[in-house]
């Protein structure tokens, strides 16, 4: 039986090796930098498909000089063929002498070959996992991890998606698993996976057992991600099985594509067991994982003068980033490679190799090759180039069924690009005119000649010039041209500019006669150098002729340049719209997930953006944190080109399939809860048991807290009585202050962690007390300096840290010091031994601060002000973002609340809130836009439209106007209100329908007289708290986008209303 399973495994491995041939070639190209396909084919052939040995063949052969006798790795007899010798002779030159370092660098980006089998260590890990599985009830999973002592803070809220704990450089696991888990079809397949009992009993191989154990752990993990009451769960059990299969050390971060390949291989093998129970074990067409993630493509081309055609299977389709600016360019480059040396008789361009998709999977994954091997450094490097990708991509242009149409369009594009090249060459002759090294735009040169000819010498208005100039040869010998134009001399040194002297410098006059000997002062009159170059003599006729010709030529040339630019723009637009054909918009794929990497090739951090279809929003999955995001934030983090963060993997789903369609899923907000109820009994019981454990943890913690207060009250020491004596509260701050200050500590967690990381030397040298003291003073100084710096117009450092806000508003020193101490006492900083030690010392020092040392009410009010400031900032940014999208109704609610809350802050100080003028400006703009919209609806005389317009006035505009009038109204606000009132008053002098007159009579008095109005305004939706990076980046993006936008002036508004024949307000009494 074992022999049969081994034979089946070998056959399956052979199938995978055949289907993954192209994938291995792409991996070799990325790792070694070799682009020649023939070299890669021969290397793979000579190494019998072993990618590690193929890399060695392509790299080791030139590590030593050709003249050396020894070889780094001598090939065996099987590899000693002429092909392998040819490969060794043609390999590229790597300048790395350390073979171990080279192989270690290659391992960072090496995608593991399906041919490599697990070693003995893998088998031991499987046995350990299997034995642990029998003791599941004794294993603690998904425990509280100590980031926050209160387990209530880790309770899941309103069915929000669950995060995954990072158990040691495992962000790659979280990114991939979250992206796959949010695929409802994939989630259904995993949770419904089961095998008949006879199949379970007939799986003696360690590979089959490992896959079954992994599937079971993945089911438990998915069940918890669906039904857990925790914000985040522990994936250690499933993760350890995967990590055990990698060759790199456990603490090393894995490559996303490497891990995804391994994960899909295991899932494919596990589901193949279920398929094999009912059909042919080698038939993978019925494998659900193959059906979901794998497609096929056809390769046609000419190799060594002979045509070839073959079909291959692909899972993650690799794309090169270098040399491309968007995803379509990457795909075009991957589908077409090379030109044929001898074109066919019809002169149409053919290609050496073309690829066409013949079958696309429901889940289409693109692997962006952002790592390349630097041959000079002998290590991989990350490619930070910008690469754009759409939310919906149409794959028709890459399908085999569209081959003839696409070939004709490619031919048109090729000819258009050739035309653009010719046009650009012609344009270059105009804008880079001249025959010397320095070239200039021809219109500018003609303009300068006209200016020269029109310049009148200064001597014409001061004195005659006939005696003031010497012949040009004399001055050119005595004074080089570079000296004449260098520095102007003082008037008293004017005689030094004679024929026999050099030009004067700012330090004095140095005379250098032609004979090399000091000469007496010249007897001739000095040369008068004009302030600007000008012709010596020019007649009116000459001036008229020159100016007429040059201006005509300049106009003609400018017209030629504009025509060339228009032709280039028109041809470019034709290329861009070439594929905007309805016939090529039949296969839409919608972006489902983007896996992002931040860092360099050897280290970094992964997270994922996943589109939540029921909520219709993008979510950011960053380990334990799951936050609402936006397409704008996704673009900033994924396109690349700005920072060392960029997308590494794109996951699209077939939007034409009902089970993947966004429209179909948008109406199922409770889909997850329904799936929890449909879980198998074992998984449902497991989720219930874990939730019961979590509730026990909460009860135990609350019981411990309730026991601490009486213990402090019963203390007999004087110090303890000071802390617990009535009516003063215990030493801890009031609940509100503790909550807000803790939130502000979490906001600044990364900055505090960096401050702790900088104290490594002090910690090792002088201990934890010295480390805390150094971190405290360094962070205090840094934030104080940041608060004193003048920020750019699109940045607000107060959003980065609470202490910047305190420093700028001159908060009491005790408030500042306690706040900073709480930052270091935050339990979320439990990263390592040093941070935990510093945290405990900081907590002990906080307990030493008694009621007499700190006014806790004042402390609470400062933190309340900063929390309100951040709330105002979020309201303002949300309102501005909505305004830019044309959603004026929603934007106005946020802007009004931002203004009202900001006013309470500004009463306490000018730096307590945000800039009031920005809120007021866009509040006015929203009011004017909504007023115009309500008026246009009113004028339609359509009952539903009129009702909608009147509702806008009653529910939004009138309450907002009354709020503005009750405040200290500005001239601009008053002018805008008068414009809106006059607009509605203008209808009184018009012949309008009776129903419109009745509506106008009902709300117009309320618009004109705010004294008796009861202000009722709907509160905007609650906004989730933002991290400092998200809020600061949003602030910068919004402020940059609104810079340069002019303020709405009263004059412009009155001009806009000039055609409406406004009637004075006094006419309505």
């Amino acid at each position: 039986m074992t022999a049969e399973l081994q034979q089946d495994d070998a056959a399956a491995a052979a199938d995978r090796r055949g289907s993954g041939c192209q994938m291995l070639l792409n991996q070799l190209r990325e790792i070694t930098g070799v682009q020649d396909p023939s070299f890669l084919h021969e290397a793979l052939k000579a190494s019998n498909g072993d990618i590690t040995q193929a890399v060695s063949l392509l790299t080791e052969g030139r590590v030593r000089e050709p003249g050396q006798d020894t070889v780094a790795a001598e090939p065996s007899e099987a590899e000693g063929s002429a092909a392998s010798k040819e490969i060794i002779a043609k390999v590229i030159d790597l300048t790395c002498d350390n073979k171990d370092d080279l192989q270690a660098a290659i391992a960072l980006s090496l995608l593991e070959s399906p041919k490599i089998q697990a070693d003995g260590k893998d088998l031991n890990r499987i046995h350990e996992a299997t034995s642990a599985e029998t003791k599941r009830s004794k294993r603690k999973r998904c425990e509280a991890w100590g980031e926050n002592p209160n387990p209530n803070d880790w309770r899941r809220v309103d069915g929000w998606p669950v995060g995954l704990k990072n158990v040691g450089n495992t962000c790659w696991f979280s990114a991939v698993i979250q992206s796959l888990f949010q695929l409802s079809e994939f989630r259904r397949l995993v949770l419904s996976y089961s095998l008949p009992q006879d199949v379970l009993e007939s799986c003696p191989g360690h590979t089959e057992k490992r896959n079954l154990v992994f599937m079971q752990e993945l089911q438990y993990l998915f069940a918890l991600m669906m039904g857990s009451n925790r914000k985040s769960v522990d994936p250690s059990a499933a993760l350890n099985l995967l990590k055990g299969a990698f060759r790199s050390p456990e603490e090393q971060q894995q490559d996303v594509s490497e891990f995804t390949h391994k994960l899909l291989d295991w899932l494919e093998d596990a589901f193949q067991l279920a398929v094999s129970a009912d059909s042919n074990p080698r038939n993978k067409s019925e494998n659900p994982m193959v059906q979901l993630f794998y497609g096929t493509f056809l390769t046609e081309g000419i190799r060594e003068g002979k045509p070839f055609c073959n079909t291959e299977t692909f899972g993650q389709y690799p794309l090169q980033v270098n040399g491309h600016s968007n995803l379509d360019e990457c795909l075009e480059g991957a589908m077409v490679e090379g030109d044929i040396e001898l074109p066919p008789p019809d002169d149409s361009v053919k290609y050496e190799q073309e690829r066409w998709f013949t079958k696309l999977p429901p889940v289409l994954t693109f692997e962006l090759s952002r790592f390349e091997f630097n041959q000079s450094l002998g290590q991989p490097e990350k490619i930070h180039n910008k690469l754009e990708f759409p939310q919906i991509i149409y794959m028709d242009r890459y399908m085999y069924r569209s081959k003839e149409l696409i070939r004709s369009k490619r031919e048109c594009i090729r000819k258009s690009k050739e035309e653009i090249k010719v046009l650009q060459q012609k344009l270059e002759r105009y804008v880079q005119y001249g025959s010397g090294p320095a070239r200039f735009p021809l219109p500018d040169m003609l303009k300068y000649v006209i200016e020269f000819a029109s310049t009148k010498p200064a001597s014409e208005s001061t004195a005659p010039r006939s005696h003031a100039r010497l012949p040009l040869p004399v001055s050119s010998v005595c004074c080089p041209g570079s000296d004449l134009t260098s520095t102007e001399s003082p008037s008293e040194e004017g005689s030094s500019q004679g024929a026999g002297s050099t030009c004067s410098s700012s330090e004095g006059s140095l005379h250098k006669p032609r004979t090399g000997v000091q000469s007496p002062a010249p007897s001739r009159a000095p040369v008068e150098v004009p302030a600007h170059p000008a012709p010596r003599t020019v007649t009116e006729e000459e001036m008229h002729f020159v100016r007429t010709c040059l201006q005509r030529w300049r106009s003609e040339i400018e017209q030629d340049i504009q025509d060339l630019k228009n032709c280039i723009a028109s041809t470019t637009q034709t290329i861009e719209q070439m594929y905007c054909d309805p016939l090529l918009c039949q296969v839409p794929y919608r972006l489902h997930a983007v896996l992002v990497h931040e860092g360099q090739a050897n280290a970094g951090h992964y997270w994922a953006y996943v589109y939540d279809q029921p909520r219709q929003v993008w979510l950011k999955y960053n380990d334990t944190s799951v936050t609402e995001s936006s397409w704008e934030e996704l673009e900033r983090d994924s396109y690349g080109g700005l920072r060392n963060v960029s997308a590494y993997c794109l996951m699209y789903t077939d939007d034409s399939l009902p089970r993947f369609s966004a429209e179909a899923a948008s109406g199922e907000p409770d889909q997850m809860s329904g799936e929890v109820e449909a879980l198998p009994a074992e998984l449902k019981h497991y989720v219930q048991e874990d939730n019961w454990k979590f509730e026990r943890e909460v009860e135990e913690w609350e019981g411990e807290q309730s026991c601490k207060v009486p213990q402090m009250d019963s203390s007999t020491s004087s110090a303890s009585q000071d802390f617990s004596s009535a009516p003063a509260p215990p030493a801890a701050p009031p609940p509100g202050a503790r909550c807000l200050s803790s939130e502000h500590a979490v906001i600044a967690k990364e900055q505090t962690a960096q401050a702790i990381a900088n104290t490594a030397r002090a910690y090792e040298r002088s201990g934890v007390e010295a480390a805390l003291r150094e971190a405290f003073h360094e962070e205090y100084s840094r934030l104080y300096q940041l608060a004193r710096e003048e920020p750019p117009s699109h940045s607000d450092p107060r959003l980065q840290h609470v202490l910047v806000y305190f420093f700028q508003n001159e908060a009491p020193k005790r408030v500042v010091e306690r706040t900073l101490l709480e930052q270091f006492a935050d339990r979320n900083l439990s990263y390592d031994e040093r941070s935990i030690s510093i945290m405990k010392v900081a907590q002990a020092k906080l307990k030493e601060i008694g009621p007499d040392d700190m006014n806790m009410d004042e402390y609470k009010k400062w933190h309340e002000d900063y929390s309100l400031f951040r709330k105002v900032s979020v309201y303002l940014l949300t309102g501005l973002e909505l305004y830019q999208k044309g959603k004026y109704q929603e934007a106005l609610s946020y802007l009004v609340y931002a203004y009202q809350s900001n006013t309470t802050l500004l009463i306490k100080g000018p730096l307590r809130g945000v800039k009031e003028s920005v809120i007021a400006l866009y509040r006015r703009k929203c009011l004017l836009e909504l007023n115009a919209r309500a008026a246009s609806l009113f004028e339609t005389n359509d009952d539903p439209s009129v009702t909608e317009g009147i509702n806008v006035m009653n529910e939004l505009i009138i309450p907002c106007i009354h709020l503005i009038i009750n405040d200290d109204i500005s001239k601009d606000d008053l002018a805008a209100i008068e414009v809106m009132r006059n607009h509605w008053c203008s209808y009184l002098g018009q012949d309008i329908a009776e129903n419109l007159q009745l509506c106008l009579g009902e709300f117009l008095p309320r618009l004109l007289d705010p004294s008796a109005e009861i202000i009722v305004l709907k509160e905007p939706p609650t906004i989730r708290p933002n991290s400092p990076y998200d809020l600061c980046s949003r602030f910068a993006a919004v402020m940059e986008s609104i810079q340069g936008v002019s303020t709405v002036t009263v004059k412009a508004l009155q001009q806009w209303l000039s055609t409406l024949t406004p009637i004075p307000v006094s006419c309505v009494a």
Side-chain angles (χ1 to χ4, degrees):
M1 186 65 181
T2 303
E4 293 177 358
L5 288 173
Q6 291 176 348
Q7 290 176 0
D8 292 339
D9 289 343
D15 292 340
R16 286 196 300 269
R17 187 164 59 250
S19 63
C21 177
Q22 186 60 41
M23 191 72 69
L24 294 178
L25 291 176
N26 291 329
Q27 295 167 15
L28 277 177
R29 182 183 294 111
E30 179 181 355
I31 295 169
T32 63
V34 177
Q35 300 298 323
D36 192 330
S38 62
F39 283 16
L40 301 175
H41 273 290
E42 294 297 338
L44 203 58
K45 180 179 178 182
S47 61
N48 293 326
D50 190 327
I51 191 171
T52 306
Q53 191 172 356
V55 171
S56 300
L57 286 174
L58 290 168
T59 57
E60 291 180 359
R62 293 289 291 275
V63 169
R64 299 176 182 271
E65 291 297 324
Q68 293 177 334
D69 297 332
T70 59
V71 181
E74 190 170 342
S76 62
E77 291 183 4
E79 300 164 346
S81 62
S84 64
K85 293 179 181 178
E86 180 182 354
I87 290 298
I88 296 176
K90 294 181 179 180
V91 291
I92 58 174
D93 184 10
L94 293 176
T95 58
C96 178
D97 293 330
N98 191 332
K99 178 182 175 183
D100 294 335
D101 291 345
L102 179 62
Q103 295 299 330
I106 292 174
L108 287 172
S109 59
L110 178 62
L111 302 178
E112 187 166 336
S113 169
K115 180 176 180 295
I116 301 175
Q117 300 295 328
D119 54 13
K121 295 182 180 179
D122 292 339
L123 185 58
N124 293 335
R125 294 191 185 98
I126 298 304
H127 287 318
E128 293 173 3
T130 306
S131 61
E133 181 65 21
T134 60
K135 303 176 182 179
R136 177 173 298 279
S137 59
K138 299 181 180 180
R139 182 173 59 199
K140 294 184 178 180
R141 302 173 59 133
C142 310
E143 299 174 343
W145 304 300
E147 289 87 346
N148 195 318
N150 187 353
N152 282 306
D153 294 336
W154 287 97
R155 185 181 295 278
R156 187 180 182 184
V157 180
D158 297 333
W160 193 250
V162 170
L164 295 178
K165 183 187 176 185
N166 190 327
V167 293
N169 292 337
T170 57
C171 51
W172 48 274
F173 180 88
S174 300
V176 176
I177 288 297
Q178 292 282 22
S179 303
L180 294 174
F181 174 78
Q182 296 303 324
L183 290 168
S184 58
E185 183 67 14
F186 178 82
R187 189 169 62 243
R188 182 189 65 80
L189 288 173
V190 170
L191 291 173
S192 62
Y193 178 82
S194 63
L195 284 178
Q197 188 63 31
D198 58 335
V199 177
L200 289 173
E201 295 174 355
S202 62
C203 291
H206 70 273
T207 302
E208 290 82 358
K209 287 184 177 180
R210 177 202 62 193
N211 293 343
L212 292 178
V213 173
F214 175 74
M215 280 299 302
Q216 191 172 22
E217 293 293 349
L218 196 60
Q219 284 181 325
Y220 283 118
L221 178 60
F222 275 22
L224 286 179
M225 293 171 70
M226 291 175 60
S228 177
N229 290 338
R230 307 175 191 266
K231 281 185 177 180
S232 53
V233 296
D234 188 349
S236 298
L239 180 61
N240 290 335
L241 290 172
L242 269 174
K243 290 175 69 175
F246 287 105
R247 292 177 175 240
S248 52
E250 289 187 359
E251 68 275 10
Q252 178 182 319
Q253 287 187 318
Q254 306 299 330
D255 186 270
V256 166
S257 58
E258 181 184 9
F259 161 63
T260 310
H261 281 298
K262 179 72 67 178
L263 174 66
L264 293 181
D265 281 347
W266 286 18
L267 293 175
E268 178 187 340
D269 292 343
F271 276 92
Q272 192 64 32
L273 290 175
V275 173
S276 302
D278 302 322
S279 61
N280 184 2
R282 297 187 179 183
N283 183 13
K284 294 188 175 182
S285 61
E286 298 181 8
N287 190 314
M289 286 295 119
V290 174
Q291 295 174 349
L292 189 61
F293 292 104
Y294 288 85
T296 57
F297 63 86
L298 179 71
T299 304
E300 295 180 331
I302 297 177
R303 181 181 300 159
E304 298 178 356
K306 298 180 180 179
F308 70 93
C309 177
N310 56 61
T311 302
E312 300 182 50
T313 302
F314 71 93
Q316 292 177 273
Y317 199 82
L319 296 175
Q320 295 295 324
V321 173
N322 259 345
H324 306 295
S325 61
N326 57 59
L327 184 60
D328 279 317
E329 289 185 9
C330 291
L331 280 166
E332 191 73 20
M335 307 305 280
V336 181
E337 293 184 7
D339 297 337
I340 288 181
E341 297 179 359
L342 297 176
D346 60 358
D347 288 335
S348 63
V349 174
K350 301 294 182 182
Y351 299 94
E352 182 180 355
Q353 182 170 289
E354 286 181 335
R355 294 188 184 93
W356 303 96
F357 291 118
T358 54
K359 177 187 175 184
L360 290 174
V363 180
L364 179 59
T365 305
F366 295 119
E367 176 187 310
L368 304 182
S369 299
R370 284 200 172 271
F371 292 155
E372 64 179 358
F373 193 78
N374 188 313
Q375 302 175 16
S376 59
L377 299 178
Q379 63 183 17
E381 285 185 341
K382 186 177 179 182
I383 302 171
H384 297 292
N385 298 354
K386 182 177 181 179
L387 184 77
E388 299 180 354
F389 47 84
Q391 295 193 57
I392 294 182
I393 184 171
Y394 293 96
M395 297 299 296
D396 306 75
R397 59 187 283 192
Y398 311 108
M399 299 295 292
Y400 182 76
R401 66 190 185 195
S402 308
K403 180 175 69 171
E404 298 304 326
L405 176 61
I406 298 304
R407 279 181 172 174
S408 63
K409 289 183 178 293
R410 285 175 180 168
E411 177 69 12
C412 293
I413 291 176
R414 183 190 66 82
K415 292 180 179 179
S416 298
K417 288 183 177 179
E418 290 179 354
E419 292 177 9
I420 291 178
K421 185 177 181 181
V422 173
L423 293 172
Q424 287 177 336
Q425 290 175 350
K426 292 180 180 180
L427 181 61
E428 191 74 12
R429 298 191 188 105
Y430 284 98
V431 298
Q432 296 290 333
Y433 187 82
S435 58
R439 304 192 177 195
F440 306 94
L442 184 53
D444 292 350
M445 296 177 70
L446 295 177
K447 174 185 174 184
Y448 300 151
V449 174
I450 295 174
E451 292 176 355
F452 168 77
S454 304
T455 304
K456 294 182 178 180
S459 59
E460 289 186 2
S461 59
T462 56
R465 296 175 47 193
S466 59
H467 67 282
R469 292 186 179 273
L470 293 179
L472 182 60
V474 175
S475 61
S476 64
V477 173
C478 299
C479 291
S482 59
D483 294 336
L484 280 172
T485 59
S486 60
T487 308
E488 293 183 6
S489 305
S491 59
E492 61 268 23
E493 296 174 357
S495 60
S496 65
Q497 297 179 4
S501 65
T502 62
C503 292
S504 62
S505 65
S506 59
E507 299 177 357
S509 300
L510 298 177
H511 302 280
K512 192 176 293 183
R514 285 172 291 175
T515 58
V517 183
Q518 184 76 22
S519 63
S523 59
R524 306 186 194 184
V527 176
E528 180 183 342
V529 179
H532 301 285
R536 297 189 180 183
T537 58
V538 60
T539 64
E540 291 295 333
E541 292 78 11
E542 292 173 338
M543 177 62 69
H544 176 73
F545 178 76
V546 170
R547 184 177 297 164
T548 302
C549 292
L550 293 179
Q551 287 179 347
R552 186 181 77 249
W553 294 343
R554 183 186 175 197
S555 299
E556 293 171 352
I557 291 171
E558 288 178 342
Q559 184 61 45
D560 292 343
I561 291 176
Q562 188 60 43
D563 291 343
L564 287 171
K565 289 182 178 179
N566 291 340
C567 289
I568 292 174
S570 175
T571 309
T572 303
Q573 185 178 9
T574 301
I575 294 176
E576 292 174 351
Q577 297 178 352
M578 186 65 68
Y579 293 106
C580 297
D581 189 329
L583 295 175
L584 300 179
C585 299
Q586 307 299 315
V587 187
Y589 271 75
R590 182 179 297 272
L591 187 62
H592 164 71
V594 180
L595 277 63
V596 178
H597 176 265
E598 181 177 24
Q600 300 299 331
N602 56 350
H605 179 60
Y606 290 100
W607 66 86
Y609 290 100
V610 182
Y611 187 71
D612 190 291
Q613 291 184 346
R615 296 179 177 86
Q616 298 287 291
V617 295
W618 283 97
L619 298 182
K620 181 179 181 179
Y621 291 85
N622 192 353
D623 291 335
T624 59
S625 171
V626 181
T627 56
E628 186 173 324
S629 183
S630 64
W631 177 252
E632 291 73 22
E633 181 186 359
L634 187 152
E635 285 182 338
R636 290 195 300 269
D637 284 353
S638 305
Y639 281 0
L642 297 178
R643 312 194 315 273
N644 59 345
V645 56
S646 55
Y648 192 81
C649 185
L650 306 177
M651 195 176 292
Y652 284 84
T653 57
D654 191 344
D655 204 39
S656 63
L657 298 179
R659 64 182 186 273
F660 292 106
S661 173
E663 288 75 10
S666 59
E668 304 175 7
D670 298 330
Q671 176 184 0
M672 194 72 71
S673 59
E675 291 183 19
V676 173
E677 294 300 322
L679 284 175
E682 180 186 0
L683 295 179
K684 188 183 297 184
H685 175 73
Y686 180 69
V687 172
Q688 294 171 351
E689 181 183 359
D690 184 76
N691 289 337
W692 178 79
K693 290 180 181 178
F694 178 66
E695 298 302 330
R696 287 287 302 272
E697 293 170 8
V698 173
E699 293 175 3
E700 292 174 1
W701 185 87
E702 291 177 347
E704 293 174 359
Q705 299 306 307
S706 62
C707 295
K708 289 182 180 180
V709 176
Q711 188 176 12
M712 294 177 63
D713 291 340
S714 60
S715 175
T716 57
S717 64
S718 59
S720 298
Q721 290 178 7
D722 289 338
F723 283 91
S724 59
S725 58
R738 181 194 299 118
C739 179
L740 289 177
S741 60
S742 299
E743 288 180 6
H744 299 157
V746 172
I747 291 173
K749 180 180 68 173
E750 295 180 2
Q751 302 176 59
T752 311
Q754 184 60 46
I756 293 175
N758 295 336
T759 63
R761 184 174 299 178
Y763 180 86
E764 297 294 337
R765 184 177 61 250
S766 306
V768 62
E769 288 273 355
L772 174 59
R773 189 162 50 250
E774 179 178 324
F776 186 97
H777 289 298
E778 289 294 329
E779 191 69 353
Y780 189 102
S781 301
R782 182 184 72 84
L783 295 172
Y784 182 85
Q785 183 65 29
L786 181 61
R788 291 294 177 264
E789 293 176 356
E790 185 67 23
S793 59
H794 59 273
S795 175
D796 192 344
R798 294 175 296 177
L799 296 174
Q800 297 181 23
H801 204 287
V802 60
L803 288 189
V804 176
Y805 181 89
F806 286 178
F807 282 132
Q808 290 190 359
N809 290 284
E810 300 179 353
K813 187 176 181 182
R814 277 291 185 183
V815 172
V816 173
E817 291 177 348
R818 181 185 177 94
T819 300
L820 186 55
L821 192 59
E822 281 199 40
Q823 311 274 340
F824 291 98
D826 183 19
R827 292 182 180 272
N828 291 286
L829 297 173
S830 306
Y831 297 120
D832 53 19
E833 180 182 355
R834 181 170 72 252
S835 60
I836 294 174
S837 301
I838 291 177
M839 175 192 69
K840 291 181 178 180
V841 173
Q843 290 173 352
K845 291 185 177 296
L846 277 176
K847 293 179 181 179
E848 296 173 4
I849 302 176
D852 297 336
D853 301 322
M854 172 65 65
N855 185 342
M856 294 311 301
D857 290 335
E858 181 185 38
Y859 183 80
K860 177 182 177 181
K861 288 179 180 178
W862 275 100
H863 281 277
E864 287 175 348
D865 284 353
Y866 181 68
S867 181
L868 182 58
F869 164 74
R870 289 182 64 85
K871 185 177 181 180
V872 168
S873 300
V874 174
Y875 276 160
L876 171 59
L877 294 177
T878 306
L880 293 178
E881 290 168 345
L882 291 170
Y883 174 84
Q884 291 175 331
K885 296 176 181 178
K887 299 180 179 180
Y888 306 115
Q889 199 164 341
E890 297 88 343
L892 183 59
S893 298
Y894 285 105
L895 292 173
V896 169
Y897 267 83
Y899 189 93
Q900 297 303 115
S901 302
N902 193 56
T903 302
T904 61
L905 289 173
L906 294 179
I907 294 175
K908 302 179 182 181
L911 295 178
R912 290 290 185 102
V914 302
K915 193 174 182 180
E916 188 177 56
S917 60
V918 177
I919 310 178
L921 168 62
Y922 284 89
R923 183 182 62 179
R924 286 196 302 274
K925 287 188 174 186
C926 287
L927 280 171
L928 293 168
E929 293 285 351
L930 289 173
N931 187 74
R933 178 185 174 190
S936 63
L937 292 172
F938 180 83
E939 292 171 357
T940 61
N941 198 18
D942 176 60
D943 288 342
S945 300
V946 172
T947 303
E948 182 182 355
I950 298 300
N951 288 338
V952 170
M953 295 297 299
N954 288 330
E955 296 177 6
L956 277 175
I957 296 179
I958 292 177
C960 289
I961 288 177
H962 293 174
L963 283 174
I964 295 173
I965 291 177
N966 290 337
D967 296 331
D968 294 331
I969 188 169
S970 65
K971 292 182 179 179
D972 291 336
D973 285 337
L974 183 60
I977 291 174
E978 289 302 315
V979 166
M980 290 187 284
R981 287 174 170 174
N982 288 343
H983 193 170
W984 289 99
C985 288
S986 66
Y987 293 116
L988 296 175
Q990 301 178 18
D991 186 14
I992 58 177
E994 184 177 357
N995 63 320
L996 298 183
Q997 292 180 0
L998 292 175
C999 292
L1000 197 62
E1002 289 177 2
F1003 82 89
L1004 193 56
R1006 299 176 55 237
L1007 179 65
L1008 300 175
D1009 182 17
S1011 58
E1013 183 70 17
I1014 300 176
I1015 302 173
V1016 178
L1017 192 66
K1018 293 182 180 179
E1019 187 173 357
T1022 304
I1023 301 176
R1024 291 182 174 273
N1026 290 266
S1027 70
Y1029 170 76
D1030 292 336
L1031 194 53
C1032 291
S1033 60
R1034 281 182 64 195
F1035 185 90
V1038 171
M1039 290 299 114
E1040 288 177 352
S1041 66
I1042 68 174
Q1043 280 182 354
V1045 178
S1046 59
T1047 306
V1048 177
T1049 61
V1050 179
K1051 182 177 179 181
L1053 293 170
Q1054 290 175 344
Q1055 290 176 351
W1056 172 60
L1057 294 172
S1058 60
T1059 60
L1060 298 178
T1061 316
I1063 297 177
V1065 179
S1066 58
C1067 72
V1068 184

